[in-house]
Amino acid sequence: MNARSWSFRFGLPVVLWLAHAAAPAHADFATAVADYRAGRYEAAAGEFERLAWLGLAPAQSGLAVALANGHGVPRNPGKAAAWAGIAAQGG
């Protein structure tokens, strides 16, 4: 089996699985944003944190904002800056 057929045979299913697995995370992120906008800061911050640890850059940014403002979590500028930096590295 050459490298091209190997990557097509094994790489494509992995890419498709990752795309499928990411869909719920984006739906959860949309819910977290809606919670944040509605003032349900604790629910939003909890979801942002869960998704941030999974590596979702927009959630990392959302957690940074929540931490910077003390919305749903204790205000912590140091952690906010750290999560903002991680989010920037992730895109």
Side-chain angles (χ1 to χ4, degrees):
M1 178 181 308
N2 64 32
R4 183 178 176 141
S5 66
W6 185 91
S7 66
F8 181 76
R9 181 174 289 174
F10 298 104
L12 183 60
V14 170
V15 169
L16 293 174
W17 178 83
L18 287 172
H20 174 72
H26 287 285
D28 292 344
F29 176 72
T31 300
V33 170
D35 283 342
Y36 194 88
R37 289 180 177 163
R40 295 184 295 270
Y41 297 127
E42 286 185 30
E47 195 60 24
F48 283 146
E49 184 171 16
R50 184 182 74 78
L51 295 169
W53 282 108
L54 292 175
L56 189 67
Q60 294 164 343
S61 181
L63 180 58
V65 170
L67 285 162
N69 294 312
H71 289 163
V73 291
R75 187 173 182 278
N76 189 324
K79 282 186 179 180
W83 277 111
I86 292 168
Q89 290 175 356

